[in-house]
Each structure stands twice: as structure tokens, then as C-alpha cells.
Amino acid sequence: MSQMPQQAAVSKCPSCEEPLEPGDRFCGACGYDLSVVPAPPEDSPTVVMNGAAPGPGPARDEVDWPTARDSDGQGRPAPVHAAAELPGTDSGGSPLPSQEPSAPEEPAREPGRESAQEHSSGVRLDRPAEPDEYPLQAPAPRSAPEPAAAAPAAGAGGKVCVACRAGRVDRDGYCENCGHAQPRERDHMEQESGPVAAVSDRGLRHHRNEDAFSVGCTALPDGAPATVAIVCDGVSSATRPDDASLAASRAAGESLLGALPRGTHPQQAMHDAILAASHAVNALAAEPATAREQAPHQNAPACTLVGAVVTGGLLVVGWVGDSRVYWVPADRATPPARLTEDDSWAAQMVAAGLMSEAEAYADERAHAITGWLGADAYELEPHTASFKPDRPGVVVVCTDGLWNYAESAQEMAEAMPLDAAVRPLHSARVLVGHALDGGGHDNVTVALLPFPAPPQGAGSA
């Protein structure tokens, strides 16, 4: 009696994947003969890592085990070769011609730091994670050389590296000598226009400079000289604060330099300049709908503004926000003065008599501003004031990045050099350096205007 072939235990039809019932001999869907399905092979024991395997088979000692590649066949480890030490062959198996590469010049490195070439594998497993780029702080303003003292390596019209002071900067912004990335254009800015000068620096903590300034000199209809300085501080919690400060400073500066020669009173010209700056910042909020869709949580760009106009016998200041103007007489025996009042929470507390000035500015809410330029400002209230000093001096126009380290008028006067009236650019650098020495937690911008305005053509010595 013939015996039926043993049916393989399968759960699905090998032909159509239809589920099967136990005992089925044919697939109910396609009619496939399940008796021809081969039985699964017998399981083989798993060989353990030490080479011993249970079950039938030759004994371990009877197996002709091959000699391990890391042994010379007598139990001694074979010498280890790096990949670069083994001879190479071409696709036909012939040895490659030996070419002895010239040894490159060993680059200088810090003592105790191991180079990657010292590893035979060419891989540094202990190398710490490195950033994509290394931010390079601009040089200390007080130690920056004059443009005339630039190294000759830069060539005509070229830039000198701020790190090594010798290499030329290529078009990509890197030094061809030491390879350092150069600061961005707005990281450190300086400008001198006649007797007025300004310096702006990114500071030591911020990733970009959100301050901007505009300085210039012109003449009134009667020929009297007039100097102008505008300083703007971008509101960091707003979108594109650097664009806001730049647009506001340019608009206000152009407005003043255009209105004063036409005979507009300096105080009215300052008021109109603040309105022009406000319109320029508001225009930044009118961004395309596509930009709003990509970043729906953006808010309107915003900044603060402070400015000063100096004529023959008149000093006009204007502001919105918490940037300030100080008056420092040339005779330091005469007390200096602060000429603006902050649009800030701290100033409101002091004005209401709820806190002393020391208590208010020690509070964490002290620098919360209550007035600014921007489309989301509650109400624009430009502040302007006129003064007629009876003695010569220097007008300091600055952001809180400076006055945080010289808050009182007396502290500002002590930080400023005695010859600031004749060397405004140098003195502005000194004041920025004072803020950086204090910690540089914010962007720092300051403009200095000698009073009264010197005749046209007078400038820094």
C-alpha cells in the first residue's frame, strides 16, 4: 500500500498566498496541489563562538582549521600593516610603480595638540566636535590702526586681515595668509564726516550688529555749519531688527541733511526726520504674502532712534526709545548732563514716584521699552528738545550698549577722553572699547559731535 506524501505544514498557499486550513490538500482559491510543497529542512545546530557544536559531526580536533590571518601559524601574532604600507596593484595584478611623495611642510600648531597626520589610520577618534564656522570678533576699536597704516600686503584697494594684520582678504571673505574668516561689514563700522564721527560694534555676545548710524555735515541758508548724527538700535525681539535700524538711520539722516539747507528750523527738521524714519521702518512690514506663509509667527521690524543737530549756537535732540544723548563740557570742572528721558518701564516707574532710579534700573524689567519705531507701535510720540549751551563741549549720542557701562552723565564724562572735541573718531573708539571692556553684552554704537559746530573742513586731528 502506497503511502501518501507527507504534506508540508504551511499556512498560506505558495501560489496565491490565500490562507489555508489545517489538513487542506488543495488550495480552495486556485486549486494548487499542496502535496507537492516540500517539507522544511531539518534545523541545524547553531555553532557557538568558541567553535564547539553539539550534535553529530566530526570532532573539533579532527577539523582542519585554517590558520588565522593575524597569526604566523605558530601562535605568534603577525605584524600589523597599515593600508598605506602594503604594495598596490593595478587591475591586471601588476604592482604599481613606486612614487615617493614629497614631504609637505609641517604646519605650525599649538604645543601639546596632536595633528591628524600622526595617526597611521588618518582618523582622529578623539577630535572634539568643531563648529561649521568660527566667529571672529572685530579688533578692539582703541587698538585699530588708522587706514593709512594698513599693511602693504593688501595692495591697492584690498583689505588687510584683522587677525594677522598681514594677509590679503579674498573675495570670499577669508585671509589668504592665515585663513581666518573676516568680520561682516556691520560687525564693526566707523565713519567720520567733518567734525562728527561715529563707531558701531557688534559687541562680545550678539551674533550680529543690530545697531546703525548716520552722520553728516551741511550748512544752513546763512552759511552757518550744521552737524547731524542719528543712532538707531534694533529691537531684538522683533523680526529683522538690523534692517529696521539701518532703514531708520538712513531715512532720518537724509531727511535732516535735506531740510536744514532749505531753512527748516532744526527742531522741526528733527521731528520730521523721526517721522520719515518711522515710515521707512513701517514699510518693512509690508512683506510679500509668501514670506508670511513661510514664517507666520514673524512680527513687525522695530527699532529705537536718537539724534542730535549742532549748529552755531543751538543744540537740538530728538528720540524715541531708550537710546540717549549726553552733554559733556570741555571744562570737566563743569558738571555734564543727560539730555533725554528713556521711553522705558524703568523711566515710567521713576516718573510716577513708585521707585528710585537705582531700584528701577536694577529691576529685570528696566529695559522694557514703551516707545519705538515700527508698524506695531502703539502710538508714535517723537520727543524733541532744544538747548543753548553757554560753553564748548561734546555731544554724545549712543545706544544702551554703551550707557549700560556709563549710565550717569558723570560716568560718561569720565570714560571720554579730554581731547574728544578735536579727536571725535578716536574718542568714539575709546568709548566703544570701554563698553567692550565692561563685558560687551549688547551692540555698541556712539556718535560724537563737538559743540559749537566747527567751520566746514575741520575734523579730527
Side-chain angles (χ1 to χ4, degrees), residues 306-330:
V306 65
V309 176
V310 171
T311 62
L314 184 67
L315 167 60
V316 174
V317 300
W319 74 97
V320 175
D322 61 348
S323 294
R324 294 180 177 180
V325 177
Y326 292 86
W327 162 254
V328 180

Side-chain angles (χ1 to χ4, degrees), residues 397-416:
V397 184
C398 65
T399 62
D400 60 345
L402 172 59
W403 66 253
N404 278 333
Y405 303 98
E407 187 169 341
S408 68
Q410 186 61 42
E411 291 173 331
M412 185 66 69
E414 293 173 355
M416 192 168 64

Side-chain angles (χ1 to χ4, degrees), residues 18-418:
E18 183 71 15
L20 301 174
E21 295 292 336
D24 286 347
R25 298 183 179 181
F26 297 92
C27 175
C30 65
Y32 186 80
D33 185 2
L34 300 177
S35 62
V36 301
V37 179
E42 296 182 2
D43 191 16
S44 300
T46 302
V47 179
V48 296
M49 293 301 295
N50 60 6
R60 184 170 184 266
D61 296 336
E62 301 175 1
V63 179
D64 186 15
W65 296 100
T67 304
R69 298 186 61 182
D70 59 351
S71 172
D72 61 359
Q74 299 180 3
R76 293 188 299 270
V80 178
H81 297 279
E85 299 174 358
L86 300 178
T89 60
D90 58 16
S91 57
S94 302
L96 295 175
S98 60
Q99 296 180 355
E100 191 69 19
S102 58
E105 183 180 353
E106 178 69 17
R109 60 180 185 270
E110 299 178 13
R113 174 169 294 182
E114 188 178 10
S115 68
Q117 286 77 9
E118 293 172 2
H119 285 263
S120 59
S121 64
V123 179
R124 282 289 302 271
L125 300 179
D126 59 341
R127 176 173 294 179
E130 297 178 355
D132 294 334
E133 61 180 10
Y134 292 88
L136 180 64
Q137 177 59 37
R142 291 174 295 180
S143 62
E146 298 293 336
K159 293 183 178 180
V160 179
C161 174
V162 300
C164 68
R165 296 293 184 184
R168 187 174 66 87
V169 179
D170 61 19
R171 290 183 299 177
D172 295 330
Y174 290 85
C175 176
E176 295 181 347
N177 180 51
C178 66
H180 272 91
Q182 302 302 293
R184 290 167 292 189
E185 181 181 359
R186 289 185 64 176
D187 282 359
H188 185 85
M189 301 180 292
E190 298 183 358
Q191 185 179 349
E192 187 175 22
S193 179
V196 58
V199 175
S200 180
D201 193 89
R202 186 185 70 182
L204 304 179
R205 302 296 181 88
H206 276 232
H207 69 287
R208 65 182 174 187
N209 190 358
E210 297 171 357
D211 289 356
F213 64 80
S214 176
V215 295
C217 55
T218 185
L220 302 181
D222 60 358
T227 55
V228 172
I230 296 292
V231 170
C232 296
D233 184 357
V235 178
S236 296
S237 60
T239 301
R240 298 162 59 197
D242 51 335
D243 292 341
S245 62
L246 184 61
S249 62
R250 287 178 174 176
E254 293 172 358
S255 178
L256 282 171
L257 294 176
L260 292 174
R262 295 196 302 264
T264 305
H265 190 277
Q267 190 166 358
Q268 181 62 45
M270 177 62 73
H271 183 274
D272 295 342
I274 296 176
L275 295 180
S278 176
H279 295 325
V281 178
N282 291 348
L284 297 178
E287 56 191 4
T290 54
R292 180 66 65 179
E293 292 173 0
Q294 296 173 0
H297 301 295
Q298 290 183 348
N299 51 11
C303 69
T304 66
L305 181 146
V306 65
V309 176
V310 171
T311 62
L314 184 67
L315 167 60
V316 174
V317 300
W319 74 97
V320 175
D322 61 348
S323 294
R324 294 180 177 180
V325 177
Y326 292 86
W327 162 254
V328 180
D331 181 8
R332 297 301 174 87
T334 306
R338 195 178 95 194
L339 306 182
T340 58
E341 292 292 335
D342 299 342
D343 288 326
S344 67
W345 179 90
Q348 285 189 344
M349 294 298 103
V350 175
L354 300 177
M355 288 184 176
S356 67
E357 186 170 2
E359 293 173 339
Y361 282 99
D363 193 282
E364 60 182 8
R365 296 165 290 182
H367 289 275
I369 58 175
T370 58
W372 63 89
L373 303 180
D376 59 351
Y378 298 113
E379 183 178 357
L380 178 60
E381 296 182 2
H383 310 292
T384 60
S386 297
F387 304 89
K388 291 185 176 181
D390 59 354
R391 64 200 68 198
V394 177
V395 181
V396 182
V397 184
C398 65
T399 62
D400 60 345
L402 172 59
W403 66 253
N404 278 333
Y405 303 98
E407 187 169 341
S408 68
Q410 186 61 42
E411 291 173 331
M412 185 66 69
E414 293 173 355
M416 192 168 64
L418 296 175

